Amino acid sequence: MFKPNRLCLKSGARRLALTVLSGALFLNTASAEEIAFSNQDQQQFQEWINTFKQQALSQGISRQTLDMAFTDLTLSDKVLQSDRRQPEFTRTFFEYLQRAVSAARIENGKFNYQQQAELLTQVEAKYGVPGAYLVSFWGMETNYGAYTGYDPIIQSLATLAFDPRRSRFFSKELIAALKILDQGHVTLDDMKGSWAGAMGQVQFMPSNYLKYAVDGDGDGKINLWKSIPDALYSAGNFLNQLGWQAQQEWGEEVKLPEGFDYSLADGKTRRPIQDWQAMGVRTIKGTDLSTKIDSAILVLPGDYRGPAFLAYDNYKVIKRWNNSTNYAIGVGYLADQIRNKPKLSKSRPKDDKGLSYEEITEIQNLLNQLGFNVGKADGIAGSNTRSALRDFQKSIEVPADGYPSLRMLKYLRHAINNA
């Protein structure tokens, strides 16, 4: 299969990998060099298409579908621009929640929960996923179908498959998208979605569409754009296949005792509920933890002043849908609010503000200078940065939550100035 060695971008745009910082959601406000494809790129792309068509034919896709899908197809500079965009700012947990679980989204969720009650009952009976969670995923992904994306899926995937950086992954997704067209589930004109290829009201990638999408309305087609039954049945099937535990919640906000060791809130280490109970962890009302749950992890999405959560098996399932701490808590919290459960007990601190790439890099450099080894300062607040920051916090006798923030940046600057 033909693959270009490089893209001859007119701007000489940098190859920048999109990086997720510990579940934080990036604001798409970053500047990047303008990307525009040269005539040579477009010519190479047409050669690539001809080779790719042969591969698709060998996998059973009809020539008619291929001719239709690739007629007059060109590379999308918008797609590559989005793929290359370097993140400049992260949102804090409270900033994320303010937008993802807004009052309007909660109210719309309650409306849709009631509006689709009969359908949701049917899906839950088949897959074991409560309706409030299905509505929550639906709301988080596309605001209940209000925005499913406008980028032509074939063009997006073909552009990303042509680009050598992740060609293998997106080539497979492109084949899957062509199979969906070939099977007649949706028309080419209607096959639109995100720049990265996610589609429909629950934003499935094409390969997941083929594996998990369900004909919920019984019309013989699976249309995740226009059919709410198809979308919700598909979401239920997907979550079920990912391991959703029926009769179990995602988690709950909890109260931590004075002097608690925040290094235990790593969001990874699962401990028996009895152990958390013995450490002084209680429900937000101050009562004993439920013995109906065997084990849980402790998640602290912000610093010690924010909420803490005991997360159960279904939290892990949510993260298999989208591996983001903020997203997983957002889905669970939105489902709770749809069912009129209590709001969070903690409010947003006045100094709560997302860090820029430069500020995270400065935190790393200052930690290194103070002897708390981070390694190379790369602007990514990973486990090494959090561990080093936790050690620094212990040295100045403040709660060692390991959370990089403007507050901690001020502490570090002060420590350097007084070293």
Side-chain angles (χ1 to χ4, degrees):
M1 176 176 169
F2 170 81
K3 291 183 180 179
N5 291 324
R6 63 185 178 86
L7 293 178
C8 303
L9 303 178
K10 289 181 179 178
S11 63
R14 297 166 293 175
R15 295 189 174 277
L16 299 172
L18 183 64
T19 308
V20 177
L21 301 182
S22 302
L25 185 72
F26 288 121
L27 294 174
N28 289 329
T29 57
S31 60
E33 295 182 40
E34 195 67 26
I35 291 176
F37 290 108
S38 67
N39 290 334
Q40 182 181 351
D41 291 327
Q42 297 291 357
Q43 182 179 353
Q44 284 188 331
F45 182 56
Q46 296 307 314
E47 296 173 13
W48 178 87
I49 286 176
N50 291 333
T51 304
F52 187 86
K53 279 184 177 182
Q54 298 306 310
Q55 178 187 351
L57 283 168
S58 71
Q59 296 195 36
I61 299 170
S62 70
R63 185 171 295 279
Q64 180 181 4
T65 294
L66 293 172
D67 290 343
M68 172 189 64
F70 289 115
T71 296
D72 299 325
L73 194 68
T74 58
L75 289 165
S76 170
D77 52 0
K78 173 189 172 184
V79 168
L80 204 66
Q81 181 85 14
S82 297
D83 189 53
R84 293 297 190 272
R85 183 175 290 135
Q86 184 178 30
E88 291 289 344
F89 296 96
T90 62
R91 288 181 188 155
T92 67
F93 170 72
F94 282 107
E95 287 174 331
Y96 176 89
L97 210 66
Q98 185 176 356
R99 297 186 62 173
V101 192
S102 64
R105 184 159 291 172
I106 292 170
E107 288 307 308
N108 286 337
K110 291 178 178 179
F111 172 80
N112 281 287
Y113 187 46
Q114 295 175 349
Q115 190 82 358
Q116 305 297 335
E118 182 178 354
L119 171 62
L120 293 167
T121 299
Q122 294 170 358
V123 178
E124 181 175 0
K126 185 167 185 177
Y127 297 114
V129 184
Y133 286 99
L134 296 169
V135 173
S136 182
F137 277 100
W138 187 23
M140 293 284 283
E141 292 295 336
T142 62
N143 199 21
Y144 313 107
Y147 181 79
T148 58
Y150 296 106
D151 291 302
I153 292 297
I154 298 300
Q155 184 184 42
S156 295
L157 292 175
T159 297
L160 294 167
F162 172 72
D163 177 19
R165 193 163 69 90
R166 289 185 288 170
S167 178
R168 178 176 297 181
F169 172 79
F170 284 108
S171 292
K172 290 179 180 178
E173 293 298 332
L174 179 55
I175 289 289
L178 292 167
K179 287 181 178 179
I180 293 167
L181 286 174
D182 210 39
Q183 293 169 9
H185 294 299
V186 64
T187 67
L188 179 63
D189 289 340
D190 287 339
M191 188 183 256
K192 292 182 171 62
S194 76
W195 64 264
M199 308 183 299
Q201 297 195 36
V202 288
Q203 291 291 278
F204 277 10
M205 290 298 288
S207 59
N208 283 339
Y209 197 118
L210 291 177
K211 290 178 185 176
Y212 305 111
V214 175
D215 177 14
D217 56 21
D219 67 352
K221 304 294 181 184
I222 304 173
N223 191 317
L224 299 188
W225 290 265
K226 297 181 178 180
S227 173
I228 293 175
D230 287 3
L232 295 181
Y233 264 90
S234 298
N237 183 43
F238 186 33
L239 290 166
N240 178 273
Q241 294 295 321
L242 291 178
W244 189 271
Q245 300 295 305
Q247 309 302 318
Q248 187 182 112
E249 297 293 346
W250 72 277
E252 63 177 315
E253 187 186 2
V254 292
K255 184 181 295 185
L256 304 180
E258 290 289 332
F260 185 79
D261 180 2
Y262 287 96
S263 66
L264 299 173
D266 61 4
K268 298 176 182 178
T269 306
R270 185 168 296 276
R271 292 179 171 84
I273 288 295
Q274 293 91 331
D275 288 2
W276 293 120
Q277 176 79 18
M279 294 176 198
V281 179
R282 295 293 184 270
T283 71
I284 206 64
K285 294 181 180 180
T287 58
D288 287 349
L289 301 175
S290 172
T291 56
K292 294 180 180 179
I293 302 296
D294 293 330
S295 62
I297 58 176
L298 185 61
V299 181
L300 199 69
D303 68 18
Y304 75 98
R305 297 171 297 173
F309 302 91
L310 279 183
Y312 311 140
D313 290 337
N314 285 334
Y315 170 84
K316 181 174 65 176
V317 173
I318 297 172
K319 291 196 75 172
R320 291 187 65 188
W321 181 304
N322 183 326
N323 190 26
S324 159
T325 297
N326 286 345
Y327 178 88
I329 294 175
V331 166
Y333 185 58
L334 179 55
D336 288 345
Q337 293 305 293
I338 287 170
R339 294 173 295 178
N340 296 310
K341 290 193 173 187
K343 295 184 181 296
L344 295 179
S345 67
K346 300 290 182 70
S347 57
R348 181 180 178 183
K350 291 183 179 180
D351 61 354
D352 179 75
K353 184 180 179 183
L355 292 173
S356 69
Y357 174 88
E358 288 77 16
E359 286 166 337
I360 294 173
T361 302
E362 184 180 357
I363 285 176
Q364 293 172 323
N365 283 324
L366 293 175
L367 285 168
N368 281 334
Q369 290 175 42
L370 290 167
F372 301 95
N373 185 33
V374 171
K376 182 180 179 181
D378 58 4
I380 302 172
S383 59
N384 287 344
T385 299
R386 289 176 179 271
S387 177
L389 183 57
R390 191 174 287 114
D391 290 340
F392 168 71
Q393 290 169 324
K394 290 177 180 178
S395 74
I396 61 172
E397 299 182 342
V398 299
D401 51 42
Y403 185 76
S405 62
L406 289 175
R407 176 173 162 272
M408 292 315 305
L409 179 55
K410 291 178 181 178
Y411 273 110
L412 287 163
R413 287 169 175 168
H414 179 77
I416 284 290
N417 290 334
N418 289 276

